[in-house]
Amino acid sequence: MGERKIRNMEEFASVSGISRPTVSKYFNDPTSVRASTRARIEAAIEQYDYRPNIYAMNQNRQLTKNIGIVVPYLTDPFFGEIARVIEQRCIEAGFSPSLFSSHGEAEQERDILDTLRSLKPAGVLLAPLGRTSDKSVVESFCRDVPTVLFDSNIEGMGEAFVGSDNYSFVSQTVEYLSRTGEPPSFFEMKHPANPNANKRRRAYLDMMERLGLEPHMLQIDGTGWAFEEIGRKGGHDILARKALTTDTILCSNDRLAIGLLSACYEAGYRVGRDAGHDLRIASHDDHPFSRYTCPALTTAAHDYANVSGHAVDTLFHLIESGGRFSTREETLFSARLIMRDSA
C-alpha cells in the first residue's frame, strides 16, 4: 500500500516518474507500451494502490481518438513549431491528431469548427483568430466539444487557456532598450489581427509610464496576416515622413520587425547596437527566422516547449475529467529576453 493517496492520473504519472501520455496510453491499452515500461507502471500501481476513474475512462472511450488542432496560419513557422510539438505529444499518447489552418479567415475558421464537430473528437486545441473570429460560433463550439485555447485568448471561452504573458514580453524589452540607449517608439498595426497585439500595446504604455518616459506610437496601415509586407510598407512610410522621435523602435511582433528591417535596408538606414548605426530595432516572439535576419533580431522569446506541452497536458486532463473543469483555467508563461545585434 502506498504512503499517499493518488487522486488522478496526472499525480500518478508524477510520483511514478513516467510521462503522463505514456501512463494514459497504458490505461487505454496495456499492450501498447513496452514491456519494461508496463512493468514499471504496474509496480507503481501496486505501490500506490492507484485505480483510475473507470467511469471517466469509459466515457472517454465512447469518443473517437481524434484530437483537433486549429491554428490561424500554418505557413507561419511560429504556429508550425507549436503544432509540431502538439502533434507529436498526441501521437505518443495514442491519439490521432488532425491539423487545420484557418488561413486568417473567419469563414474558414467557422467551417473548420463545423467539420470538427462532425468528427466527434475527444478534444480540440484551438488557437483562434481572435479579433476577427465569429465569437458566437467559437462559444457554441466550446460548449459542445472539450476545448483548450492556446496562444490567443477569448475571455470565457473554452475550458482553459494556455499562452504567453505579454506583459513579461514588453516589460523586458522596454526596460532593456531604455537602459542601454534612447527609449523606444512602438511600431504596430492600427488594426492588428491578433489580440495579443493589444495587450502588448497596453504593456508598452504602462511600462513607459512606470519608467517616467514619454511613449510614442508608430501605427501603420494594413490588415490581415501578411505581417512582413505590412511592416515593410509601414516602415517605408514612417522613414519617408521622418516620423521617428527616437533612434530606437520596438515592434509588436517579429514578423512586423522583419518587414521593417527590409525597409530600413532599402532606404539606406543601418540597423544595429554598435556605434555608427542609425537605428536600433527590437521585437517580440523569437520567431524561428528572427536569428537569421541581418542583423539578427533582439527579441523576447516565447517558451515554446512549455506553452505547447502544457496545452496538451491540459487537454488530456480535460478529457479525463469528462470534458469539463469546475472553473476555467488560465496558464501564462513568461518570456525570455534574447539580445542579438539589432539592438
Side-chain angles (χ1 to χ4, degrees), residues 6 11 21 86 99 115 120 123 201 221 226 260 264 272 283 292 304:
I6 305 301
E11 286 189 7
I86 289 174
L99 180 59
T115 298
K120 295 182 171 58
R201 180 197 310 115
D221 292 324
L260 176 59
C264 289
S283 188
Y292 303 115
Y304 285 88

Side-chain angles (χ1 to χ4, degrees), residues 74-343:
L74 190 55
T75 53
D76 185 333
F78 167 76
F79 289 111
E81 174 62 16
I82 287 182
R84 181 190 67 80
V85 176
I86 289 174
E87 275 192 306
Q88 189 60 43
R89 289 289 305 281
C90 290
I91 291 168
E92 290 171 355
F95 288 95
S96 298
S98 297
L99 180 59
F100 300 85
S101 171
S102 54
H103 302 288
E105 299 290 338
E107 183 176 356
Q108 180 74 2
E109 187 175 70
R110 287 195 298 269
D111 290 345
I112 289 169
L113 297 183
D114 284 342
T115 298
L116 280 169
R117 184 184 274 106
S118 69
L119 293 174
K120 295 182 171 58
V124 168
L125 287 156
L126 169 63
L129 295 174
R131 186 177 66 85
T132 59
S133 290
D134 187 328
K135 292 181 174 55
S136 64
V137 170
V138 176
E139 184 177 22
S140 174
F141 179 83
C142 291
R143 282 198 304 265
D144 296 341
V145 179
T147 304
V148 172
L149 271 56
F150 69 98
D151 180 64
S152 178
N153 194 13
I154 301 180
E155 297 293 336
M157 296 189 192
E159 294 298 305
F161 170 72
V162 180
S164 297
D165 181 353
N166 286 288
Y167 190 87
S168 80
F169 276 72
V170 180
S171 60
Q172 291 184 66
T173 51
V174 170
E175 190 280 330
Y176 166 71
L177 293 170
S178 301
R179 175 167 47 83
T180 56
E182 292 185 13
S185 298
F186 195 74
F187 184 83
E188 66 162 2
M189 294 164 61
K190 288 180 183 176
H191 306 290
N194 191 307
N196 289 328
N198 297 321
K199 296 175 182 177
R200 292 176 183 182
R201 180 197 310 115
R202 289 195 295 269
Y204 166 77
L205 295 172
D206 289 347
M207 193 64 188
M208 292 292 281
E209 181 179 6
R210 178 180 297 184
L211 295 173
L213 300 170
E214 185 71 25
H216 185 231
M217 307 301 297
L218 299 169
Q219 293 190 320
I220 60 174
D221 292 324
T223 58
W225 290 77
F227 298 127
E228 292 86 359
E229 183 58 19
I230 292 170
R232 176 179 170 273
K233 289 181 178 178
H236 274 298
D237 177 61
I238 65 168
L239 294 173
R241 291 190 293 107
K242 300 188 183 301
L244 297 176
T245 59
T246 171
D247 68 5
T248 304
I249 304 174
L250 177 60
C251 298
S252 180
N253 67 62
D254 284 355
R255 291 182 60 192
L256 284 176
I258 289 169
L260 176 59
L261 285 172
S262 177
C264 289
Y265 174 79
E266 291 167 352
Y269 284 78
R270 294 167 297 174
V271 176
R273 60 182 177 180
D274 297 329
H277 289 86
D278 303 306
L279 294 172
R280 296 189 304 159
I281 294 176
S283 188
H284 307 100
D285 286 338
D286 193 28
H287 189 281
F289 293 166
S290 63
R291 70 190 66 187
Y292 303 115
T293 58
C294 293
L297 188 60
T298 291
T299 184
H302 286 278
D303 189 340
Y304 285 88
N306 273 325
V307 169
S308 53
H310 191 75
V312 173
D313 287 341
T314 302
L315 183 63
F316 290 164
H317 185 201
L318 177 61
I319 293 169
E320 290 169 9
S321 301
R324 290 290 178 266
F325 289 148
S326 56
T327 57
R328 187 176 189 266
E329 298 181 1
E330 283 197 18
T331 305
L332 300 178
F333 290 93
S334 295
R336 175 172 58 94
L337 182 64
I338 299 179
M339 291 174 284
R340 299 192 181 110
D341 289 339
S342 71

